[in-house]
């Protein structure tokens, strides 16, 4: 999978996308066949997969956290399953948010581990079985919709309404991970994030296919005395502009912004540049929770940058407050039916 989305993916299809069309065609054939014919293992607890149509952030991790909080409110013991992208550990690992670093387990698992038990595994079936052994009664899989080797009881596909599916081309000519028809066939429901219009066509297609459509928005947590502060905003996430909009929504005045690749580990030189510019222009440093966990656990300049940065946390909020609970209930029913069919 391509790790970084080039800008032309999110624009109207131009010469780059069409020049890569033969490669996209081959990629689509392989990805579609993989989704259609994958042999999937089963585990004895419900599995909810939070995925997206495209490469790049659509809000999967905050959605997974929202589902976990709803599960906890129901008295369940949820567990997160992540591939651990960006980490170096290649063995199934129970994540310890207080001791592991992002270079070991990835940044998103550290965010997840603050909410519920989290396991990373390059082999998701093995990771799921580890979660079952740890006593969870609901598995929430962060990503992996197109490559699942687990039987999914609910596949919730998240789509950002500002970017939609970009130019609509498959990798490498565009951001789409697998043929849309196959993705649509296998998903259970769609979650629209935000109030943009870029996702309307695919949402209408899903609605015509009888797929439930949920709506949500990303809400930043209040920051006292933040309004009108002049800030240097920096972010190493899939869509930094989303973070900059959040800063402005809170009333911050962005005087400078620095964007880095998704899952980026900051070098000492980059850290010095950020702190030097903030000091020179008398700006407050602000960043995302995902960037903050990549700085956590390090000493020296990284620790100093983190201590001088305001971290802006966000929550995924469903328009229907009962939506997350309904998703969990459906997954539980589907799991029961699956086990009866296998008996």
């Amino acid at each position: 999978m391509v790790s970084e989305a080039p800008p032309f993916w999110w624009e109207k299809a131009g010469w780059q996308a069409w020049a890569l069309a033969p490669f996209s065609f081959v990629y689509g054939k392989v990805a579609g066949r993989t989704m259609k014919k994958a042999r999937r293992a089963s585990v004895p607890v419900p599995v909810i997969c939070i995925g997206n149509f495209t490469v790049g952030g659509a809000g999967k991790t905050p959605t997974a956290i929202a589902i976990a909080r709803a599960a906890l409110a129901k008295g369940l013991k949820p567990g997160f399953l992540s591939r651990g992208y960006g980490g170096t550990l290649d063995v199934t690992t129970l994540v310890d948010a207080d001791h592991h670093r992002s270079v070991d387990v990835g940044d998103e698992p550290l965010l997840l581990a603050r909410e519920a038990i989290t396991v990373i595994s390059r082999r998701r079936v093995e990771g799921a079985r580890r979660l079952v052994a740890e006593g969870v009664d609901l598995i929430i899989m962060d990503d992996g919709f197109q490559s699942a080797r687990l039987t999914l009881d609910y596949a919730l596909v998240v789509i950002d309404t500002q970017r939609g599916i970009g130019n609509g081309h498959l990798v490498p000519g565009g951001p789409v991970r697998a043929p849309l028809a196959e993705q649509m066939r296998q998903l259970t429901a769609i979650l629209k994030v935000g109030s943009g219009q870029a996702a309307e066509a695919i949402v209408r297609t899903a609605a015509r296919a009888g797929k439930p459509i949920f709506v949500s928005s990303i809400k930043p947590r209040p920051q006292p005395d933040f309004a009108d502060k002049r800030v240097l905003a920096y972010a190493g996430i899939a869509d930094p502009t989303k973070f900059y909009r959040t800063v402005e929504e809170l009333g911050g005045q962005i005087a400078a912004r620095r964007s880095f690749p998704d899952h980026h580990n900051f070098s000492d030189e980059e850290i010095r540049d950020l702190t030097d510019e903030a000091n020179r222009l008398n700006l407050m440093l602000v960043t995302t929770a995902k960037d903050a966990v990549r700085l956590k656990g390090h000493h020296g300049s990284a620790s100093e940058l983190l201590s001088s940065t305001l971290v802006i946390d966000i929550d995924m909020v469903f328009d229907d407050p009962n939506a997350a609970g309904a998703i969990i209930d459906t997954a539980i029913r589907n799991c029961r039916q699956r086990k009866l069919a296998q008996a």
Side-chain angles (χ1 to χ4, degrees), residues 39-87:
R39 298 176 63 182
R40 294 184 170 91
S42 295
V43 290
V45 301
V47 178
I48 298 175
C49 178
I50 313 296
N52 60 351
F53 290 109
T54 62
V55 175
K60 295 187 302 297
T61 299
T63 300
I65 289 171
I67 298 293
R69 289 174 180 170
L72 289 166
K74 285 176 169 287
L76 299 171
K77 182 181 179 181
F80 293 113
L81 176 59
S82 171
R83 187 176 181 274
Y85 187 85

Side-chain angles (χ1 to χ4, degrees), residues 104-148:
D104 303 316
V105 298
D107 46 20
E108 288 159 351
L110 287 176
L111 295 175
L112 297 172
R114 301 191 306 193
E115 306 286 336
I117 183 172
T118 300
V119 165
I120 62 164
S121 181
R122 305 294 168 88
R123 296 166 290 279
R124 287 192 172 93
V125 174
E126 184 178 308
R129 288 171 178 161
R130 173 66 185 274
L131 283 169
V132 172
E134 294 289 336
V136 309
D137 44 29
L138 174 69
I139 292 174
I140 303 169
M141 203 165 87
D142 186 14
D143 208 359
F145 170 57
Q146 292 84 1
S147 58

Side-chain angles (χ1 to χ4, degrees), residues 103-319:
V103 293
D104 303 316
V105 298
D107 46 20
E108 288 159 351
L110 287 176
L111 295 175
L112 297 172
R114 301 191 306 193
E115 306 286 336
I117 183 172
T118 300
V119 165
I120 62 164
S121 181
R122 305 294 168 88
R123 296 166 290 279
R124 287 192 172 93
V125 174
E126 184 178 308
R129 288 171 178 161
R130 173 66 185 274
L131 283 169
V132 172
E134 294 289 336
V136 309
D137 44 29
L138 174 69
I139 292 174
I140 303 169
M141 203 165 87
D142 186 14
D143 208 359
F145 170 57
Q146 292 84 1
S147 58
R149 293 297 179 268
L150 277 171
T151 298
L152 305 179
D153 298 298
Y154 202 104
L156 180 65
V157 174
V158 183
I159 187 165
D160 179 82
T161 59
Q162 296 289 336
R163 301 210 296 180
I165 57 170
N167 64 18
H169 285 237
L170 288 150
V171 174
V176 181
R177 290 179 163 189
L180 289 174
E182 187 60 32
Q183 295 198 64
M184 195 68 68
R185 187 180 71 83
Q186 295 199 29
L187 66 84
T188 310
I190 284 180
L191 176 63
K192 288 173 52 179
V193 181
S195 57
Q197 302 300 311
E200 288 308 300
I202 198 164
V203 168
R204 286 195 298 270
T205 299
R208 287 195 296 269
K211 305 290 185 177
I213 310 296
F214 298 102
V215 180
S216 69
S217 56
I218 291 175
K219 301 292 187 184
R221 295 180 191 172
Q223 298 293 334
D225 304 319
F226 182 68
D228 298 323
K229 287 286 195 301
R230 297 179 69 251
V231 304
L232 189 166
Y234 65 96
I237 59 177
D239 184 9
T241 59
K242 189 183 298 184
F243 172 63
Y244 303 142
R245 287 196 299 268
T246 297
V247 172
E248 292 169 341
E249 181 181 336
L250 287 168
Q253 304 297 315
I254 301 179
R257 60 189 72 195
R258 296 292 176 267
S259 301
F260 299 90
D262 198 10
H263 308 289
H264 181 71
N265 289 308
F266 300 99
S267 68
D268 289 340
E269 182 179 358
E270 288 166 339
I271 290 172
R272 284 194 300 271
D273 287 344
L274 287 169
T275 54
D276 288 349
E277 183 167 9
N279 291 332
R280 179 170 56 84
L281 299 176
N282 194 28
L283 303 177
M284 173 187 286
L285 288 157
V286 293
T287 197
T288 72
K290 185 173 168 180
D291 288 282
V293 296
R294 292 199 302 276
L295 294 169
K296 186 179 178 181
H298 296 273
H299 301 291
S301 59
S303 177
E304 293 172 7
L305 176 61
L306 181 59
S307 65
S308 60
T309 296
L310 174 66
V311 179
I312 296 180
D313 285 296
I314 59 169
D315 294 305
M316 187 67 74
V317 179
F318 290 85
D319 283 15

